[in-house]
Amino acid sequence: MEEKKYRKDVQKAQKGLQTLVVPVCFVVTKSWWVIGLLPAIILYGRYFCSRRMIQRYLECAMTRDMKDIEGFYMKSPNSCMWVAVLEGKVVGMVATVSQPKPGGAVELRRMSVDRSCRRCGVGVALGQKLVEFAVTNRYSSVVLGTSAYSPAAHKLYQRLGFQSVGFTNGYVTPGIRQSLLEQIFYRVRHHHYELNVQNSKMTTKLK
């Protein structure tokens, strides 16, 4: 229900933007053919801004933890990274790092599965490995945040036992600034999930 409401709000905002832009363009240009191109201009603006934000996110990741995977994830007892290998090729990865949360928590990070191996159990296997790490190290919960639009990604987290605990509209990745155009054309919805390690059926099997 919340997802449907959010989509309706986005559609209303887009319609409101178009309603405002049309008369402004006509007053400025006095040209109907420019107004006819507005839908294409808006679509291109969304594509350009989304592509730019994703590129900046990747650049930011490559200058932080992904720049030194061993040093960031493997040399601390409170963090780790796992990869799934099939026929000598890495087809998936997931990482975790501890969070300053009461009771102790770890964050699921960098979950990714090669397109050719999705829906084959790779994501579930990686997620179970991370949950096992949380159980072994006596953490109380596992948390994650995702802006994934794919329903399959959310179904994976739910299958692992994660529960949705809210979302943030207009989320901006820490360390990245949005321009005015990016704020208009590219608004991200960031979902927050949490898995209670002590009460989860999956973790009970691992203990």
Side-chain angles (χ1 to χ4, degrees):
M1 293 297 293
E2 292 179 346
E3 186 68 28
K4 290 182 178 179
K5 183 178 183 300
Y6 174 71
R7 289 178 179 177
K8 288 181 179 179
D9 291 341
V10 171
Q11 291 174 354
K12 287 181 180 179
Q14 291 174 345
K15 289 180 180 178
L17 178 64
Q18 292 176 5
T19 302
L20 176 64
V21 170
V22 168
V24 171
C25 283
F26 181 75
V27 170
V28 174
T29 65
K30 302 294 184 180
S31 174
W32 285 107
W33 70 268
V34 173
I35 294 176
L37 289 174
L38 276 179
I41 294 173
I42 292 175
L43 285 174
Y44 177 77
R46 287 178 59 83
Y47 171 78
F48 174 78
C49 290
S50 62
R51 187 177 179 84
R52 182 179 177 185
M53 288 298 297
I54 292 172
Q55 183 63 36
R56 287 163 65 185
Y57 166 77
L58 293 174
E59 291 174 353
C60 185
M62 292 304 296
T63 60
R64 295 182 177 180
D65 57 312
M66 299 305 290
K67 183 179 181 180
D68 182 13
I69 294 176
E70 183 177 357
F72 192 93
Y73 289 111
M74 307 307 294
K75 291 186 176 181
S76 170
N78 299 320
S79 61
C80 197
M81 175 176 279
W82 300 267
V83 296
V85 180
L86 180 63
E87 297 180 352
K89 177 184 176 182
V90 175
V91 296
M93 59 175 281
V94 69
T96 186
V97 64
S98 63
Q99 294 294 304
K101 185 177 180 179
V106 287
E107 179 187 4
L108 183 153
R109 289 186 176 185
R110 308 305 183 196
M111 171 69 86
S112 179
V113 177
D114 189 274
R115 289 184 181 275
S116 64
C117 296
R118 292 176 184 176
R119 301 182 184 275
C120 297
V122 175
V124 173
L126 289 168
Q128 289 176 334
K129 195 68 178 178
L130 188 149
V131 173
E132 183 180 349
F133 173 86
V135 172
T136 302
N137 290 276
R138 301 184 181 279
Y139 286 102
S140 64
S141 62
V142 182
V143 298
L144 71 88
T146 179
S147 56
Y149 289 102
S150 170
H154 295 276
K155 288 181 180 179
L156 169 61
Y157 298 133
Q158 292 164 5
R159 183 178 176 184
L160 289 168
F162 286 88
Q163 299 291 324
S164 176
V165 293
F167 56 86
T168 302
N169 288 331
Y171 175 81
V172 180
T173 302
I176 297 179
R177 293 184 179 180
Q178 282 186 306
S179 66
L180 179 60
L181 285 177
E182 289 168 346
Q183 293 177 30
I184 294 173
F185 287 108
Y186 189 67
R187 290 182 62 81
V188 177
R189 190 179 203 191
H190 196 71
H191 299 262
H192 306 282
Y193 284 92
E194 183 171 0
L195 169 64
N196 188 312
V197 173
Q198 304 301 322
N199 299 331
S200 172
K201 293 181 180 180
M202 179 176 292
T203 56
T204 300
K205 297 178 182 179
L206 296 173
K207 291 180 179 179

